[in-house]
């Protein structure tokens, strides 16, 4: 069986795995990335769309942000709509930062192009992936490529294989603790050939449920509707989607901009975290270690924050033999993870209607949003968390 020797074996070519490989490459640390899907699949998979300033900065500072700088939409604030009122939270004024609209698949494309451009190993469509030896100090990853068995021998394994990957389940049940919360609703997401309704995102609270208006370009709208957890997408014709979006976003501001719907899908919502994020020489990063409901736009940003911390620790190990940052990896990440869990849960329960809630909860939500948008301290809380907590806090 062919065996590849490398320093870091990376399972999964999502934002986490690809960025980690890139950050290590810049410091001359070799790695091999394996991915179960095809290149075309990961480059077209429709997911998150919002980058914190810090996430965008890391792409720019490491030479993979050229297209991002050219094509992203920079937003200095966001709108919250409730009771039909449109309120603005001005990030520039409050925290002097912005967020960028730049789709996850574009981040993936840029990182794949960089990796293939400098000719480092990135293998697609691998199968039967298994990790071994991470507890004993001789880690290896076995897999099949083109129907042939292969293996990677490495110093460390980075489990960047998402929520359904194989790395987290390879940690013995007694050595890992899971924290989980499911929500009784889901998001129906659409992509449409319609210019954005407002120039920035609109998060709408409504008695009929939450709605979010976002965008991909000056001519493409992305929008989400809160729907039931077991919702059947076939019950949602294009007309019904636009009608419901119009109802939930009615009031002050521009009338809903409509157009041809080009894609639609339903995503479940959950909060999940595991502790620790490390077992021996296996390090989990991104969705492999945690999931947040999408309301706070944090999933991809948290994945990027994890691998910045992991890359820093691996670089310190290879450059100066330091092990303290590797030992602190899980502890360091989890401080941010739980703050982001808290924010994502908070905005989710604040803006969604829950069947178990009564009219008291509706009044409480409205008062909470009224405070959040009316008080500078409230707006500051949203702004500080939404643009991304500083890395110095980690
Ligand atoms: P992933 O992007 O999941 O990458 C993991 C990679 O590992 C995948 O390419 C997968 O194919 C591969 N893989 C899995 N198993 C194996 C294996 N055994 N061997 C090799 N490779 C493997 N976040 C937001 O902020 N806003 C959103 O609107 C939003 N929408 C989302 C919609 C959907 C349908 C999903 C699933 C997620 C969404 N997220 C959203 C979350 C965000 O996309 C994720 O947090 C982000 O993708 C995390 O990056 P990652 O690299 O950790 O994981
Ligand atoms: C997008 C998705 C989110 O979940 C969010 O909170 C903001 C923006 C998006 O897809 O653009």
């Amino acid at each position: 069986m062919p065996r590849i020797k490398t320093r870091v074996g990376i399972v999964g070519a999502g934002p986490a795995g690809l960025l980690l490989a890139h950050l290590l490459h810049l410091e001359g640390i070799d790695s091999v990335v394996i991915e179960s899907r095809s290149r075309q699949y990961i480059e077209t998979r429709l997911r998150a769309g919002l980058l914190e300033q810090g996430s965008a900065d890391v792409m720019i500072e490491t030479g993979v942000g050229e297209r991002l700088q050219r094509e992203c939409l920079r937003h200095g604030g966001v709108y919250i709509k409730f009771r039909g009122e449109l309120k603005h939270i001005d990030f520039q004024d409050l925290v002097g930062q912005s967020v960028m609209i730049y789709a996850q698949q574009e981040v993936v494309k840029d990182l794949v192009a960089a990796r293939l451009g400098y000719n480092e190993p990135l293998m697609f469509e691998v199968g039967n992936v298994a990790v071994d030896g991470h507890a004993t100090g001789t880690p290896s990853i076995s897999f099949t490529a083109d129907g042939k068995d292969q293996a990677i021998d490495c110093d460390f394994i980075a489990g960047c294989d998402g929520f359904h990957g194989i790395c987290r389940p390879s940690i013995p049940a007694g050595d890992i603790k899971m924290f989980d919360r499911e929500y009784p609703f889901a998001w129906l997401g659409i992509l449409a050939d319609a210019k954005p309704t407002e120039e920035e995102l609109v998060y709408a609270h409504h008695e009929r449920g939450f709605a979010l208006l976002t965008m991909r370009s000056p001519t493409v709208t992305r929008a989400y509707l809160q729907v039931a957890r077991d919702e059947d997408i076939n019950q949602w014709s294009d007309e019904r989607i636009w009608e419901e979006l119009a109802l939930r976003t009615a009031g002050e501001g521009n009338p809903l901009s409509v157009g041809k719907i080009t894609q639609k899908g339903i995503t479940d919502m959950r909060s999940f975290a595991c502790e620790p994020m490390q077992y021996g020489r296996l390090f989990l990063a991104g969705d492999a270690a945690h999931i947040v409901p999408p309301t706070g736009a944090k999933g991809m940003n948290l994945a990027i924050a994890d691998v910045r911390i992991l890359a820093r620790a691996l670089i310190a190990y290879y450059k100066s033999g330091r092990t303290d940052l590797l030992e602190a990896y899980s502890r360091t990440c989890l401080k941010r993870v739980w703050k982001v869990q808290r924010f994502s849960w908070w905005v989710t329960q604040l803006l969604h209607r829950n069947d178990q809630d009564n009219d008291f909860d509706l009044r409480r939500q409205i008062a909470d949003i009224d405070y959040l948008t009316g008080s500078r301290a409230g707006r500051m809380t949203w702004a500080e968390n939404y643009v991304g907590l500083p890395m110095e806090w980690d």
Side-chain angles (χ1 to χ4, degrees):
M1 173 170 46
R3 301 194 77 90
I4 309 165
K5 178 98 192 85
T6 191
R7 283 171 154 174
V8 185
I10 302 177
V11 186
L18 289 167
L19 183 63
L20 177 65
H22 177 62
L23 296 177
L24 295 177
H25 167 77
L26 294 179
E27 296 294 330
I29 300 165
D30 58 278
S31 64
V32 174
V33 186
I34 57 168
E35 164 60 50
S36 54
R37 301 289 194 160
S38 67
R39 178 178 180 186
Q40 206 236 340
Y41 184 90
I42 66 163
E43 289 188 346
T44 50
R45 184 165 44 189
L46 191 58
R47 285 190 171 177
L50 191 137
L51 285 175
E52 294 172 355
Q53 175 132 17
S55 304
D57 286 348
V58 72
M59 300 270 298
I60 295 163
E61 283 159 15
T62 63
V64 284
E66 193 260 329
R67 199 164 64 92
L68 178 138
Q69 276 177 297
R70 211 167 359 104
E71 295 179 12
C72 82
L73 304 174
R74 183 183 293 269
H75 288 185
V78 78
Y79 290 104
I80 314 274
K81 201 160 200 176
F82 74 116
R83 293 189 306 218
E85 298 167 31
L86 190 65
K87 305 287 185 187
H88 193 238
I89 299 184
D90 186 335
F91 307 149
Q92 277 300 328
D93 169 48
L94 292 160
V95 290
Q97 289 192 37
S98 303
V99 293
M100 323 293 149
I101 288 289
Y102 191 66
Q104 177 166 328
Q105 72 268 25
E106 306 305 324
V107 171
V108 165
K109 271 186 215 160
D110 294 341
L111 290 167
V112 167
R115 180 128 187 115
L116 298 178
Y118 45 64
N119 229 350
E120 291 289 326
L122 166 55
M123 304 167 78
F124 294 104
E125 298 182 70
V126 305
N128 301 326
V129 180
V131 294
D132 194 18
H134 39 286
T136 61
T138 52
S140 65
I141 307 170
S142 56
F143 59 99
T144 54
D146 296 326
K148 295 192 197 77
D149 290 336
Q150 295 204 24
I152 298 169
D153 295 312
C154 46
D155 301 336
F156 300 100
I157 298 172
C160 303
D161 50 350
F163 183 64
H164 300 288
I166 53 92
C167 288
R168 189 181 66 254
S170 75
I171 300 176
D175 290 299
I176 189 165
K177 186 163 164 52
M178 319 279 186
F179 302 83
D180 208 352
R181 171 180 288 251
E182 291 197 346
Y183 297 86
F185 36 77
W187 274 16
L188 187 163
I190 62 153
L191 203 60
D193 293 333
K195 80 173 179 42
T197 297
E198 305 288 347
E199 71 286 6
E200 289 170 352
L201 274 59
V202 181
Y203 285 81
H205 172 276
H206 194 278
E207 278 185 43
R208 299 177 64 90
F210 171 72
L212 170 60
L213 302 178
T214 171
M215 62 197 73
R216 286 294 175 268
S217 76
T219 55
V220 175
T221 285
R222 178 125 171 91
Y224 301 95
L225 277 173
Q226 174 188 350
V227 293
R229 194 179 165 75
D230 50 4
E231 194 77 33
D232 175 6
I233 189 117
N234 296 314
Q235 299 302 311
W236 287 85
S237 64
D238 294 3
E239 297 71 38
R240 183 175 173 206
I241 292 171
W242 286 123
E243 248 169 55
E244 194 61 34
L245 279 169
L247 282 172
R248 295 188 194 181
T249 61
E252 290 175 5
N254 297 327
L256 180 69
S257 162
V258 300
K260 185 177 162 15
I261 295 180
T262 52
Q263 276 200 53
K264 55 182 159 184
I266 290 188
T267 311
D268 278 348
M269 297 180 60
R270 66 166 59 214
S271 299
F272 168 84
C274 71
E275 291 185 7
M277 290 169 53
Q278 178 205 354
Y279 178 71
R281 288 177 165 250
L282 169 66
F283 292 82
L284 302 177
D287 279 15
H290 39 68
I291 295 282
V292 288
T295 327
K298 291 291 166 211
M300 174 168 52
N301 293 297
L302 201 50
I304 290 174
D306 285 352
V307 297
R308 290 176 77 180
I309 294 165
L310 183 53
R312 191 170 62 190
L314 288 166
I315 292 162
Y317 173 80
Y318 284 112
K319 298 282 168 192
S320 42
R322 281 177 63 180
T323 56
D324 56 328
L325 295 182
L326 282 173
E327 283 153 17
Y329 170 72
S330 182
R331 211 168 48 246
T332 309
C333 287
L334 283 167
K335 281 201 285 180
R336 171 180 291 263
V337 166
W338 279 109
K339 290 193 200 85
V340 171
Q341 288 286 1
R342 182 206 70 85
F343 178 69
S344 302
W345 164 83
W346 177 67
V347 290
T348 299
Q349 63 80 37
L350 181 69
L351 296 169
H352 290 71
R353 294 287 288 139
N354 188 331
D355 286 345
Q356 278 141 31
D357 287 354
N358 60 19
D359 284 349
F360 175 88
D361 295 292
L362 183 58
R363 297 288 186 283
R364 174 187 57 77
Q365 277 183 326
I366 290 172
D368 214 346
I369 303 168
D370 208 0
Y371 171 75
L372 166 74
T373 54
S375 137
R376 187 172 172 89
R379 292 193 297 276
M380 179 70 94
T381 294
W382 177 295
E384 199 169 51
N385 284 277
Y386 195 81
V387 303
L389 299 173
M391 287 296 278
E392 306 85 78
W393 288 16
D394 293 336

